[in-house]
Amino acid sequence: MAAEVKAEIEAHLALRRDDNIAAGMDADDAAREAERRFGRVNAVAEESTRVRRRALSWRRALASDLRYAWIGLARTPRVFWSALLVALIGFATAGAAVRLIDALLVRAPAGIRQPHELWSILDSFNGKVPVMMQWRVAQAIEAAAPDLSPFAWGQREVQVIHDDHRRVWPATFVSGSYFRSLGTRPSAGRLLVAEDVAQGRPVVVIDETLAATLAANPSSLVGQALRLNGQTFEIAGITQAGFRGLETGRPTRLWLPITTEPLISTPRVLPNGEVRRGLLSDPGTGWLRGGIRVPASQSIDDVGARLTAIARSMPAISGTTDADRRILLADSVWLSPWPSAREDLRTLLRPIAWSVGFALLLTATCLGSLFVGRFSDRGNEFALRAALGAPRRRLLRLVALEIGLVAIVATVVSTPITAVLLQAAGRLRVTTGVVETAVPDFDVRAALQLATLAAITALAAMIAPAMTMAHATRSASMTTTRATPRAGWFRRILMTAQVAAGCGLLAAALLLTRTIDGLKSQPLGYDGAAVSFVTLDPAGAGLTDDERRAVTSRALELDGAIGAPVAIADWVPFALYNSLFVVAESSNEKRQYPLPTTRISGPYFETAGIRVVAGRTFSPTDAGRPVVILSESLARQYWPDENAVGHAVRVGGPNGTRYEVIGVVASVRDMSLRSADYGRIYLPYDDRAESLVIVARSPTGRAADVQPALLAAAAKLDSRLVTIETGSFSDRAMSTLEQRTLFRRLTTILGGGSLVMIAVGVWGLANGSLRRRWREFGIRHALGASRIAIGRLAMADAVFVAVAGGVLGLVAAWQFGRILSSMLFEITATDPVSFAIAVLAVAGAAFAGAVAPARKAARLDPAKLLRED
């Protein structure tokens, strides 16, 4: 080391000497000036050597302590494996939950330059409630405020055909400044530009995932043709890796110029008979989200006022005034800008965050309890080390290193487990509709999150063992083998907190389980388990009106082809889309409602299992006639004391077409209970239908038995058709439970893991108590105490933990129930059955952990004890 320091000093002096010579000094003067400016060489060399020796000594000590900590853990394999199992459960579940929260709420989408400068903009005609923007408003903002890099986009699904690939993918229509404003770059070809939008060029940009699906060499796709909804588009480029659009919860695969939207849209026939193709052809309809980039130098209030002035320069909508209109801004453009949607997201993530906290509390308390027992048994060792001069900080380092080693191993091993848990989350209903959960792959950010969780948990777990060690060095005697009694109380307190946290998680899982079971037990109004369906979009596939009618006719003829009753509709029975305004005639209820509308043909009600309450169903002669069938709830609302059959409603508003009510059928709903409060109207299937849903009823009562035949028959209707969705009515209804199901899955995993942690922790606690009191138990045996009495004494710690933890667990369960109150159905947040089962479960886990030590205590041999003594 001294030689290295000397060489470095000589090299430094040589550099200064060369600089002096270059400045014009001779060699001797240059050397003297270099030594003068450097200072005392011997003093610098001595100080540098001392610093390096101290650093080397610290590294050697740390290496020695690490080696000793690993050897110590290896000598107690039961403690090591128990601690590792506990840490794995806690880190994996908490890590998966944190990554989900980060993906849905915090992390900006990949491929965006300076994402936190981006803000959402939406129109508002009353200054408070945001609405989707019209294309003409977005154009005006782009033209008047180019310094803010404004852009607009709207999403929908399109049918993609390329060679043998036939599938529906989510697509985004974008304005010309979309990619430029985001700062996204292509990995091949080019991205969309303003000229593509201005000229309505049929070009498309795809992401790398879709490109890899379409071709082995994605770059070769640039310039090739892609069929979208029956129209030919040229692939202009491929986005950079990871970029999947702006909306985290609704990732996209294709991007098209917004002006091509009418080209691939399904024609819509309005109630007055007018045909419109695409939303762009309806300038009064808002269907776009907008965004801007606000530099830090500009005030968001000033930007909002400026955009509002631009919007007020546009013609006002009927019933509004310029003074009411405002442009509303929301930060984090990748999140939904609607307050209700953000509140829905918070409602979902709030209990997940609480679950993370409870999971980390469980892990920290269980690890702390295990290591308190381990270090309390080593009180003599710590006292001896302290007596021989070991500083307390080094003893504390030994404690920290053992827990830290367990945390490091658990962090590494739990990484793939978090990926499995996130895959189990599958698809998630975040706000409205079922969307794919866009959780990024494991990266540096995810690694830092997991490491941070592990570090926080390990630090929390170190507190009680460190206090135990400190007490042991002060009070433990080197002539006794008794462990410090204070360690037992430390462990009881930790285990009580652990039981309380586990009780809260189990109560949450039980509350959601009872809610889901209650929702499943409610009548849906149709026979979902027996009915299979397949959804097609003939108009979106580019079929002409005549070809669409031919496909519809062939679909109705499938009845005999697949050996099952077949009918058609434009939506599944509980869909809340495709609403029309309806006003009742000759009724006290004169308000108009946007009611969900289903167009049907064939024996639809019989096939779906929907009960006819009054009147009749549609017949072939009803095609083109103004007749309607109402749901039972709507009929009772309009005519509570009369038979609705024979009355009339106005479809399309007070001045809309008059439709005669010819029948009433049972109300249908999904499992979210949203649709239970809605009425529904049924119209004959005609050219106004926007999609084609073929419904088949299985003769065996199982939808899966008829689904393959239905899919095969649907594929033969026309080679240009792509299956948009398929499944059973039951599966479709179950999708509305995904938010509750996801959180129940999370709390069940954590709750089940907590039972394992509690059993492991109580086992360690009872084992430590047995080691402290083994002479007492032996003497009691010798004096005639029964094995049952000794076993009860050994179970005392488990009884204390179960009772105290159960009482605190009721408080934790109440808090969790309060958080979950918006997700519950027909049970209260303080459901006694759920609370009782949770308390009994954690108490059972506590007693199960104490069984083995209690049996060991009951079987102690007093004669052997006296011989050893």
Side-chain angles (χ1 to χ4, degrees):
M1 185 181 299
E4 289 178 0
V5 171
K6 181 179 179 181
E8 287 186 14
I9 292 175
E10 289 178 351
H12 190 78
L13 290 173
L15 287 174
R16 290 198 171 184
R17 185 172 59 249
D18 293 342
D19 290 342
N20 292 337
I21 292 174
M25 294 184 183
D26 58 32
D28 293 338
D29 291 340
R32 284 194 295 271
E33 178 62 18
E35 292 176 0
R36 185 187 67 78
R37 292 186 59 190
F38 186 82
R40 298 175 59 189
V41 174
N42 292 337
V44 172
E46 182 179 348
E47 177 64 20
S48 179
T49 303
R50 183 166 60 252
V51 169
R52 296 189 184 199
R53 187 177 292 114
R54 188 184 302 122
L56 179 61
S57 174
W58 184 86
R59 289 196 297 271
R60 286 175 176 171
L62 178 61
S64 174
D65 291 344
L66 274 171
R67 187 164 53 252
Y68 182 78
W70 182 255
I71 292 173
L73 288 172
R75 288 176 177 171
T76 53
R78 285 194 295 182
V79 173
F80 172 72
W81 289 111
S82 299
L84 183 60
L85 175 63
V86 167
L88 277 176
I89 295 172
F91 294 170
T93 51
V98 167
R99 283 185 63 192
L100 184 62
I101 293 173
D102 178 56
L104 291 177
L105 193 64
V106 181
R107 184 192 289 245
I112 300 177
R113 175 178 55 86
Q114 298 174 336
H116 293 284
E117 288 186 356
L118 295 174
W119 286 67
S120 281
I121 57 172
L122 285 177
D123 212 341
S124 175
F125 297 114
N126 63 6
K128 297 178 181 179
V129 179
V131 296
M132 299 291 263
M133 292 179 59
Q134 302 167 26
W135 172 229
R136 63 194 184 96
V137 176
Q139 286 178 300
I141 292 176
E142 282 194 356
D147 57 305
L148 297 177
S149 303
F151 55 94
W153 78 95
Q155 288 189 308
R156 60 169 290 182
E157 292 186 336
V158 299
Q159 304 176 49
V160 179
I161 299 178
H162 181 76
D163 294 336
D164 295 332
H165 181 88
R166 306 166 61 83
R167 186 172 171 182
V168 174
W169 290 101
T172 299
F173 295 97
V174 302
S175 64
S177 57
Y178 179 85
F179 287 107
R180 176 172 52 81
S181 299
L182 297 183
T184 305
R185 297 179 179 179
S187 64
R190 66 174 181 86
L191 302 180
L192 301 179
V193 295
E195 289 75 13
D196 296 325
V197 175
Q199 299 175 20
R201 294 172 182 167
V203 292
V204 61
V205 171
I206 62 178
D207 80 326
E208 283 201 331
T209 303
L210 178 56
T213 304
L214 298 178
N217 180 15
S219 300
S220 65
L221 290 170
V222 176
Q224 292 190 23
L226 197 66
R227 295 282 290 178
L228 305 178
N229 284 11
Q231 304 298 321
T232 301
F233 280 68
E234 178 187 342
I235 300 176
I238 301 172
T239 60
Q240 66 186 83
F243 181 74
R244 297 180 65 186
L246 267 179
E247 301 180 51
T248 306
R250 302 177 65 191
T252 193
R253 300 291 190 186
L254 307 96
W255 293 264
L256 302 91
I258 201 169
T259 47
T260 63
E261 185 260 347
L263 181 63
I264 64 172
S265 295
T266 302
R268 292 180 300 133
V269 182
L270 303 183
N272 61 4
E274 181 183 353
V275 179
R276 289 183 180 173
R277 191 178 184 94
L279 294 170
L280 204 68
S281 64
D282 188 353
T285 300
W287 61 288
L288 299 173
R289 280 187 58 185
I292 56 172
R293 184 176 291 278
V294 181
S297 59
Q298 297 194 31
S299 166
I300 198 66
D301 293 333
D302 294 341
V303 170
R306 180 182 172 191
L307 296 178
T308 296
I310 297 172
R312 287 178 179 175
S313 67
M314 305 292 295
I317 300 297
S318 176
T320 66
T321 63
D322 289 340
D324 296 329
R325 193 167 193 172
R326 284 184 61 194
I327 294 295
L328 303 180
L329 286 80
D331 60 352
S332 303
V333 69
W334 53 91
L335 299 180
S336 173
W338 281 270
S340 59
R342 293 198 175 197
E343 182 56 35
D344 287 345
L345 190 59
R346 284 191 290 268
T347 299
L348 170 68
L349 299 181
R350 192 179 298 120
I352 293 180
W354 274 86
S355 299
V356 171
F358 272 52
L360 296 182
L361 175 63
L362 274 166
T363 308
T365 53
C366 195
L367 288 176
S369 175
L370 288 171
F371 280 95
V372 162
R374 172 169 167 73
F375 293 133
S376 65
D377 292 341
R378 298 168 62 189
N380 293 342
E381 174 195 341
F382 288 132
L384 178 61
R385 283 174 170 267
L388 294 177
R392 183 168 294 180
R393 64 176 178 273
R394 186 167 188 185
L395 299 181
L396 288 172
R397 193 162 68 216
L398 286 173
V399 174
L401 286 175
E402 288 201 12
I403 299 177
L405 282 173
V406 171
I408 291 171
V409 174
T411 302
V412 174
V413 178
S414 63
T415 299
I417 301 177
T418 59
V420 173
L421 292 177
L422 287 171
Q423 287 180 354
R427 295 169 67 85
L428 171 67
R429 179 181 292 270
V430 181
T431 52
T432 56
V434 179
V435 297
E436 183 180 350
T437 306
V439 180
D441 295 332
F442 194 83
D443 54 11
V444 175
R445 181 184 179 115
L448 289 175
Q449 290 170 354
L450 191 57
T452 302
L453 292 177
I456 293 173
T457 307
L459 288 173
M462 290 175 191
I463 297 174
M467 294 174 66
T468 302
M469 184 278 301
H471 178 73
T473 58
R474 289 194 301 266
S475 61
S477 168
M478 288 180 287
T479 61
T480 179
T481 59
R482 291 189 63 195
T484 171
R486 182 175 294 186
W489 281 107
F490 275 153
R491 300 189 76 176
R492 291 187 189 98
I493 294 171
L494 291 173
M495 286 305 306
T496 300
Q498 187 177 334
V499 170
C503 186
L505 288 168
L506 283 174
L510 289 166
L511 287 171
L512 288 171
T513 298
R514 298 198 68 202
T515 289
I516 292 173
D517 290 343
L519 288 170
K520 288 181 178 179
S521 66
Q522 296 296 306
L524 299 177
Y526 50 88
D527 192 359
V531 180
S532 179
F533 74 95
V534 57
T535 302
L536 308 170
D537 184 6
L543 274 64
T544 65
D545 291 343
D546 291 339
E547 290 172 333
R548 289 168 57 194
R549 296 187 189 98
V551 166
T552 301
S553 299
R554 288 197 293 271
L556 287 172
E557 295 171 358
L558 294 179
D559 193 332
I562 65 174
V566 173
I568 63 173
D570 60 344
W571 298 104
V572 290
F574 43 83
L576 299 182
Y577 314 108
N578 197 27
S579 298
L580 291 174
F581 284 96
V582 177
V583 180
E585 291 188 348
S586 67
S587 168
N588 294 327
E589 182 61 74
K590 296 300 183 183
R591 290 179 296 173
Q592 56 177 327
Y593 297 91
L595 294 175
T597 305
T598 304
R599 301 180 187 275
I600 62 174
S601 184
Y604 177 79
F605 297 116
E606 295 86 344
T607 303
I610 299 174
R611 180 172 52 90
V612 178
V613 177
R616 65 177 179 86
T617 60
F618 296 127
S619 66
T621 59
D622 290 324
R625 292 182 57 215
V627 291
V628 65
I629 296 175
L630 305 182
S631 65
E632 188 176 13
S633 61
L634 183 60
R636 283 200 304 265
Q637 178 182 339
Y638 283 162
W639 300 281
D641 302 320
E642 303 177 59
N643 186 352
V645 177
H647 287 285
V649 295
R650 293 279 181 177
V651 178
N655 298 321
T657 305
R658 184 181 185 274
Y659 281 74
E660 178 188 355
V661 179
I662 64 170
V664 177
V665 296
S667 299
V668 298
R669 65 173 184 84
D670 57 24
M671 291 187 183
S672 68
L673 293 187
R674 269 182 330 180
S675 55
D677 297 329
Y678 283 85
R680 179 173 294 275
I681 64 172
Y682 298 89
L683 298 173
Y685 194 92
D686 57 18
D687 291 341
R688 294 175 177 83
E690 295 186 18
S691 62
L692 174 63
V693 179
I694 306 175
V695 180
R697 184 183 186 87
S698 172
T700 64
R702 295 178 65 252
D705 294 340
V706 75
Q707 189 168 354
L710 179 61
L711 280 171
K716 296 178 181 178
L717 294 176
D718 193 288
S719 61
R720 291 166 291 179
L721 292 176
V722 177
T723 299
I724 296 175
E725 185 181 8
T726 186
S728 70
F729 278 2
S730 291
D731 295 338
R732 190 67 168 76
M734 281 293 295
S735 67
T736 60
L737 286 176
E738 287 182 349
Q739 190 181 90
R740 292 180 175 90
T741 302
L742 172 72
F743 189 64
R744 181 185 65 171
R745 200 173 296 160
L746 176 63
T747 52
T748 300
I749 292 172
L750 289 173
S754 73
L755 295 180
V756 176
M757 294 184 189
I758 290 169
V760 170
V762 172
W763 167 81
L765 177 63
N767 246 359
S769 177
L770 177 61
R771 285 193 297 270
R772 290 198 309 272
R773 303 173 64 186
W774 65 275
R775 295 184 73 250
E776 174 193 342
F777 292 154
I779 293 172
R780 287 178 180 272
H781 268 299
L783 294 177
S786 66
R787 294 182 182 273
I788 295 177
I790 297 299
R792 282 201 301 265
L793 285 174
M795 295 283 286
D797 286 332
V799 172
F800 174 83
V801 166
V803 173
V807 172
L808 291 177
L810 290 175
V811 178
W814 168 80
Q815 174 65 18
F816 242 130
R818 188 173 63 84
I819 295 171
L820 294 173
S821 58
S822 63
M823 294 187 179
L824 303 181
F825 168 68
E826 288 191 347
I827 59 172
T828 64
T830 56
D831 177 52
V833 175
S834 300
F835 283 19
I837 294 175
V839 171
L840 290 175
V842 295
F847 286 118
V851 166
R855 292 183 62 188
K856 186 176 180 181
R859 294 178 179 179
L860 281 175
D861 184 359
K864 181 180 179 181
L865 173 66
L866 293 175
R867 285 196 302 270
E868 290 179 355
D869 195 43

